[in-house]
């Protein structure tokens, strides 16, 4: 473990399932694509190199966009960097006059640069401020562990971390913060490790609680849900949506959305009148019945790809269900 004071990321982000995402989106000359999670620009670069297309690249992390400046200079008329959340992508692009696109890629979660930069506070292996905010704004992980009631902390750790010792961890957090409020990542990691034993698989006991806090602080599952609906609005008929996710909570949301939207007589909302239900045809066709996974080669080259899975669906010509249901489907 690197314990120097540097906060410079030491691992460049290696794009995950890149060939699969490219094959799914089939970029063509003149096409318009959205990379909703620009990160280190791996997908964006590949799209721009594959065809003479336009790419609208979104990231909520100001550091990621700042690092994209060189790429934007290389493709001055074709790459458009946009600060914001992919959950708002249809609104974000509308402000630039873009209302339909040919393909959308989402590679959800955090980048290697974010994890490796101790100053961002995502890592339980490196000491840093207990932050975890991708946007560098809003409530930090320290705010959450220092202020939430024990019951709420336990709920978050159980739901978003799938930590079976959630109640024990929440109790330890509340006891520790009464002695000294949390401000550093390693303080929190040590408190967790004192009450949860390392499992036989060797996974650090702090893993699940850190994941839970990150998801909660950044409302990652809510963002994914809004992003999928936004994609339904933006994609033109025949346009493809490719989503790469990294854990079962995310994959379940993607799978359910794609299955529901591609089902015959898809029902966007239980409050919807029967007359409207009849009118709602499937808005997507499934391209991947099962998720695409990285092969052994990719996992050897990039162990962080280990848990990745990609699902792809193609937009039909049907009206977006959220539109049919008045924006609340
Ligand atoms: C896994 S990385 C993407 C890596 C990218 N595919 C590449 O090849 O370099 C995820 C990126 O998405 C950003 N991100 C996560 N959730 C987001 C959201 N809801 N809206 C916009 N950006 C988001 C993160 O800040 C991070 O930079």
């Amino acid at each position: 473990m690197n314990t120097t004071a540097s906060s410079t990321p030491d691992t460049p982000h290696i794009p995950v399932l890149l060939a699969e995402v490219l094959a799914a989106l089939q970029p063509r000359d003149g096409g318009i694509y959205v990379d909703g999670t620009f990160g280190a620009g791996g997908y964006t670069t590949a799209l721009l190199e594959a065809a003479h297309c336009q790419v609208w690249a979104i990231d909520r992390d100001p550091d990621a966009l700042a690092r994209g400046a060189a790429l934007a200079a290389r493709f001055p008329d074709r790459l458009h960097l946009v600060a914001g959340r992919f959950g708002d992508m249809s609104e974000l692009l509308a402000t630039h006059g873009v209302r339909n696109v040919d393909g959308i890629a989402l590679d959800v979660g955090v980048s290697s640069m974010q994890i490796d930069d101790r100053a961002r506070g995502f890592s339980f292996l490196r000491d840093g401020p207990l932050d975890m905010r991708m946007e560098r704004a809003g409530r930090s992980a320290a705010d959450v562990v220092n202020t939430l009631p024990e019951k709420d902390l336990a709920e978050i750790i159980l739901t978003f971390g799938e930590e079976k010792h959630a109640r024990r961890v929440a109790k330890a957090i509340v006891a520790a913060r009464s002695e000294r409020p949390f401000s550093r990542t390693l303080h929190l990691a040590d408190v967790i490790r004192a009450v949860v034993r390392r499992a036989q698989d060797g996974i650090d006991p702090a893993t699940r609680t850190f994941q839970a806090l990150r998801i909660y602080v950044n409302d990652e599952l809510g963002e994914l849900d809004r992003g999928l609906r936004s994609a339904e609005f933006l994609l033109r008929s025949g346009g493809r949506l490719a989503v790469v996710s990294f854990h079962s909570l995310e994959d379940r949301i993607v799978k359910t959305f794609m299955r529901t939207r591609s089902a015959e007589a898809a029902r966007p909302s239980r409050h919807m009148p029967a007359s409207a239900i009849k009118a709602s045809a499937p808005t997507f066709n499934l391209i991947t019945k099962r998720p695409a996974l990285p092969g052994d080669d990719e996992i050897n080259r990039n162990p962080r790809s280990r848990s990745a899975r990609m699902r792809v669906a193609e937009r039909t010509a049907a009206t977006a269900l959220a539109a049919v249901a008045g924006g609340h489907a």
Side-chain angles (χ1 to χ4, degrees):
M1 180 174 59
N2 177 358
T3 51
T4 68
S6 162
S7 66
T8 309
D10 52 12
T11 321
H13 186 93
I14 305 171
V16 171
L17 290 169
L18 176 63
E20 290 80 354
V21 168
L22 218 55
L25 295 189
Q26 304 175 335
R28 58 168 179 78
D29 291 351
I32 303 176
Y33 300 89
V34 176
D35 179 351
T37 49
F38 176 71
Y43 292 179
T44 289
T45 306
L47 287 165
L48 289 164
E49 287 176 349
H52 195 80
C53 59
Q54 302 276 321
V55 176
W56 292 83
I58 301 170
D59 206 294
R60 70 195 289 187
D61 182 346
D63 293 10
L65 289 183
R67 275 192 299 268
L71 193 61
R74 197 177 140 206
F75 297 99
D77 304 320
R78 298 204 284 126
L79 171 57
H80 315 278
L81 295 174
V82 181
R85 301 180 181 188
F86 60 64
D88 301 324
M89 68 187 149
S90 57
E91 293 88 346
L92 286 171
L93 264 62
T95 65
H96 297 277
V98 177
R99 295 186 192 282
N100 284 115
V101 303
D102 299 286
I104 297 174
L106 299 178
D107 177 15
V108 297
V110 277
S111 67
S112 300
M113 290 86 66
Q114 289 167 327
I115 294 174
D116 292 341
D117 185 347
R118 68 179 61 211
R120 304 302 303 269
F122 288 104
S123 171
F124 47 78
L125 295 176
R126 298 154 190 246
D127 197 32
L130 187 56
D131 190 321
M132 301 197 194
R133 296 169 302 173
M134 292 187 199
E135 251 149 22
R136 293 187 176 276
R139 205 154 55 145
S140 70
D143 295 332
V144 171
V145 293
N146 287 328
T147 59
L148 254 53
E150 184 178 326
K151 193 165 83 40
D152 294 0
L153 283 174
E155 178 81 25
I156 289 167
I157 296 166
L158 177 68
T159 309
F160 299 142
E162 300 179 295
E163 167 60 84
K164 60 176 189 282
H165 303 299
R167 285 172 65 180
R168 198 189 297 168
V169 173
K171 192 169 179 206
I173 288 174
V174 169
R177 79 187 182 194
S178 69
E179 311 246 309
R180 176 162 61 99
F182 288 96
S183 64
R184 311 290 298 177
T185 50
L186 288 194
H187 180 197
L188 178 61
D190 288 345
V191 166
I192 300 164
R193 288 178 192 133
V195 294
V196 182
R197 260 195 299 167
R198 189 176 281 269
Q200 277 181 340
D201 56 13
I203 290 182
D204 191 301
T207 310
R208 290 178 292 275
T209 297
F210 269 64
Q211 171 187 298
L213 289 170
R214 195 200 85 203
I215 291 175
Y216 180 77
V217 163
N218 296 289
D219 184 22
E220 291 181 35
L221 302 186
E223 263 303 298
L224 181 55
D225 189 50
R226 286 186 288 279
L228 296 170
R229 289 160 201 263
S230 209
E232 185 185 50
F233 262 114
L234 262 181
L235 282 168
R236 68 173 95 249
S237 175
R240 295 263 180 101
L241 170 64
V243 186
V244 175
S245 66
F246 289 85
H247 55 75
S248 55
L249 297 170
E250 295 166 341
D251 186 54
R252 204 174 306 142
I253 291 173
V254 180
K255 180 170 93 176
T256 304
F257 176 85
M258 289 186 176
R259 288 220 175 133
T260 312
R261 292 322 213 223
S262 62
E264 283 303 322
R267 186 176 185 178
S269 155
R270 65 198 157 88
H271 305 298
M272 208 172 158
S275 54
I277 294 168
K278 263 192 227 133
S280 61
T283 53
F284 281 98
N285 289 320
L286 288 184
I287 299 298
T288 45
K289 296 263 174 349
R290 291 177 181 283
L293 309 175
D296 290 344
D297 272 6
E298 175 162 6
I299 295 172
N300 288 337
R301 258 185 297 117
N302 180 16
R304 281 178 180 172
S305 69
R306 201 179 325 113
S307 51
R309 56 200 94 169
M310 178 190 72
R311 293 186 187 268
V312 182
E314 185 175 287
R315 190 71 171 82
T316 67
T319 307
L321 291 191
V324 175
H328 298 290

